[in-house]
Amino acid sequence: MSQSDGDREDRWLTASLARPLAPLSPDTPCGRVYEMMAQDESLFALAVVVDGAPIGLVDHLSMMSDFARQYWREIYARRPITHLMDGAPLTLEAAFPIEVISLQITLFKRRTLNSGFVVVREGRYVGVGSSLDLLKLVAERACDRAQSLEMAQQEIRALNEGLEHRIEQRTAELRAAQEELVRKERFSAIGQLTATVAHELRNPLSSIRNSVFTMREGSAVSSALERPIARIERSIARCDRIIGDLLDFTRLRERQAEIVTADDWLGEVLDEQPLPPGVSLVRRFGAAGYRLNLDRERMRQVIVNLIENAVQAMVNDAAAAGGGTIVVGTRVAAAYEMVIDDTGPGISPQVLPKVFEPLFTTKSFGTGLGLPTVKQIIEQHAGTIAIESELGRGTRVIVRLPLAPSREAAA
Ligand SMILES: Nc1ncnc2c1ncn2[C@@H]1O[C@H](COP(=O)(O)OP(=O)(O)OP(=O)(O)O)[C@@H](O)[C@H]1O
Ligand SMILES: [Mg+2]
């Protein structure tokens, strides 16, 4: 910041720190000056000036204390003021910056603090200044500056924190995007492979099915072969289902979105779900009237898979004697939240991180595509899924889906 001397001068001259008080001539009697000062408190000091050049300063304090003494009053009343003046007061150039002036005041004789100083411009009298007022102003400015510095520092600190947070956020986003990219690439490779393998497998599979059919139709099947043939048929059906699941998982279908009333839709899906004896299902719905935008068929697959997992876990749990309870609860907390609890054996900490991996299964009859498909469909709906479980304490699956606008909002 560059300021001309003129600016600097104005800064403190106009701050009424230098008052252009009418100077005294050297022959003004002391008694007259005493009267002037007694009448006007603001006359803290008066300069004595000859031909525009200051020759000294008479200040309020010494005037009042010295002159007020009876003895001096009589002696000095008619004497010229030069008898009481300070002949070597602090004289300062108006053009000096205020910082220089304040420094001079503090370095000059102590008396300057009470008596003030004479202001000159190129040696010519301009006015008198009050040291105390000036120092007060400098102190206030320093205080203001310190405050704005502190504020600026706080702002910088806040900005820094925000920046760090944003960097962290961006890094996390980038990492997620990269992982997503890798996942998609792997996915498309798996998809192509699956499509080929599925096609190649389905042909021999259908010829096996046809052959078994022919064997059954022909009279050659003896009762001894009845069971093995039934087993072959079941295995064919299972292979076919696995191929179907794989194709379903790897084929990213466009979703057919439609608005449904969430709890009503969920109730209907659960109504259609067959449950084995010993397993009961309790509904704790608490999101009446809230709506979702979803692909009914795909999302039905999600519910079916999750309920099937719960049922299979409980039915195969020796400790539970093949039974248990599934509780399906819903509520709205920013999103539509669906919680499925079962009383099955739970999932061990070693298994839990793997349950969303394609083809991971702990079941002799499982494909390990249930949860990966579920996750895929939920993510297609911009939702999330989380599983909490502990061995011996059952499993909780939490699905969150974004709400569709309410009927009123949509209208
Ligand atoms: N409710 C649950 N209780 C206990 N374990 C579970 C539960 N849900 C899933 N799991 C575990 O997660 C694994 C993966 O589940 P996922 O549904 O993906 O495959 P799967 O059920 O084994 O086979 P698929 O669903 O393809 O027939 C299961 O094998 C099981 O170990
Ligand atoms: Mg499953």
Side-chain angles (χ1 to χ4, degrees):
M1 221 193 315
S2 84
Q3 274 171 310
S4 70
D5 283 353
D7 283 347
R8 285 181 174 151
E9 174 188 325
D10 280 347
R11 249 199 319 172
W12 69 278
L13 279 181
T14 53
S16 71
L17 293 168
R19 286 171 229 174
L21 295 175
L24 303 169
S25 82
D27 50 12
T28 316
C30 289
R32 169 83 192 105
V33 179
Y34 175 80
E35 275 162 20
M36 279 167 71
M37 283 192 166
Q39 277 162 17
D40 188 352
E41 284 268 305
S42 68
L43 293 182
F44 62 97
L46 286 170
V48 183
V49 175
V50 181
D51 292 337
I55 59 165
L57 192 74
V58 195
D59 68 278
H60 194 275
L61 210 72
S62 56
M63 189 73 194
M64 289 305 175
S65 58
D66 290 356
F67 195 73
R69 277 182 259 150
Q70 209 56 358
Y71 171 71
W72 292 111
R73 188 186 291 199
E74 277 165 22
I75 295 178
Y76 283 119
R78 288 176 204 289
R79 299 255 172 105
I81 191 60
T82 43
H83 280 84
L84 282 181
M85 76 176 188
D86 174 5
L90 177 60
T91 303
L92 294 167
E93 266 294 332
F96 285 174
I98 196 164
E99 293 79 11
V100 172
I101 290 178
S102 62
L103 192 70
Q104 298 234 21
I105 291 171
T106 39
L107 293 179
F108 204 72
K109 38 186 188 178
R110 274 186 70 80
R111 196 174 146 75
T112 312
L113 275 182
N114 289 329
S115 58
F117 51 91
V118 181
V119 187
V120 293
R121 186 179 288 125
E122 289 164 10
R124 313 288 294 170
Y125 172 76
V126 172
V128 284
S130 156
S131 310
L132 284 177
D133 285 356
L134 192 130
L135 289 180
K136 214 168 92 193
L137 179 87
V138 172
E140 273 166 14
R141 281 195 188 169
C143 204
D144 283 354
R145 244 175 258 162
Q147 261 172 8
S148 40
L149 204 68
E150 171 61 26
M151 265 158 67
Q153 272 171 348
Q154 268 176 10
E155 238 166 76
I156 290 172
R157 235 174 282 140
L159 278 174
N160 269 344
E161 274 164 24
L163 205 66
E164 269 168 34
H165 179 69
R166 264 174 44 202
I167 290 174
E168 270 169 29
Q169 214 177 0
R170 283 286 141 81
T171 316
E173 278 169 16
L174 264 174
R175 198 173 298 136
Q178 199 185 16
E179 277 165 13
E180 178 64 16
L181 204 70
V182 171
R183 202 177 69 88
K184 278 207 174 123
E185 270 174 14
R186 205 170 49 192
F187 208 72
S188 96
I190 294 177
Q192 282 169 9
L193 189 71
T194 309
T196 318
V197 172
H199 181 75
E200 295 301 315
L201 280 182
R202 270 195 167 150
N203 284 343
L205 209 58
S206 62
S207 75
I208 296 174
R209 188 187 284 120
N210 290 341
S211 308
V212 172
F213 184 76
T214 317
M215 281 164 73
R216 240 195 216 297
E217 290 295 293
S219 50
V221 176
S222 69
S223 58
L225 284 178
E226 193 57 54
R227 282 169 68 117
I229 286 183
R231 214 179 301 133
I232 294 174
E233 280 171 337
R234 278 202 307 276
S235 297
I236 293 171
R238 194 169 155 232
C239 288
D240 211 40
R241 189 172 64 82
I242 293 175
I243 293 171
D245 284 354
L246 267 169
L247 283 175
D248 220 31
F249 175 63
T250 49
R251 230 183 291 151
L252 280 172
R253 274 204 291 123
E254 276 296 302
R255 82 187 175 102
Q256 309 285 320
E258 96 186 71
I259 298 273
V260 301
T261 307
D263 279 357
D264 297 349
W265 162 81
L266 182 60
E268 283 165 25
V269 175
L270 292 177
D271 285 344
E272 291 166 10
Q273 189 61 24
L275 294 173
V279 172
S280 57
L281 192 143
V282 177
R283 298 165 196 216
R284 295 214 180 112
F285 291 179
Y290 283 97
R291 308 195 312 159
L292 294 173
N293 189 357
L294 48 82
D295 182 327
R296 272 175 180 272
E297 193 38 47
R298 300 220 84 196
M299 203 49 90
R300 197 181 71 84
Q301 241 179 302
V302 167
I303 310 299
V304 169
N305 265 304
L306 295 178
I307 299 293
E308 263 178 9
N309 276 352
V311 168
Q312 286 162 2
M314 293 190 297
V315 168
N316 297 315
D317 184 13
T325 308
I326 301 171
V327 180
V328 180
T330 66
R331 65 176 194 139
V332 166
Y336 181 73
E337 197 174 279
M338 184 163 70
V339 179
I340 300 175
D341 282 309
D342 67 51
T343 54
I347 305 173
S348 75
Q350 291 77 27
V351 167
L352 192 57
K354 299 188 192 148
V355 296
F356 288 110
E357 280 175 18
L359 305 177
F360 173 82
T361 181
T362 57
K363 300 167 194 169
S364 56
F365 53 88
T367 319
L369 283 175
L371 286 178
T373 309
V374 163
K375 189 163 191 265
Q376 192 184 72
I377 296 170
I378 290 172
E379 284 174 357
Q380 244 186 351
H381 286 77
T384 60
I385 179 169
I387 298 188
E388 296 169 1
S389 186
E390 251 179 73
L391 275 185
R393 295 211 162 194
T395 299
R396 163 169 287 190
V397 181
I398 306 154
V399 174
R400 291 192 184 88
L401 293 169
L403 289 169
S406 67
R407 224 179 285 273
E408 300 81 61

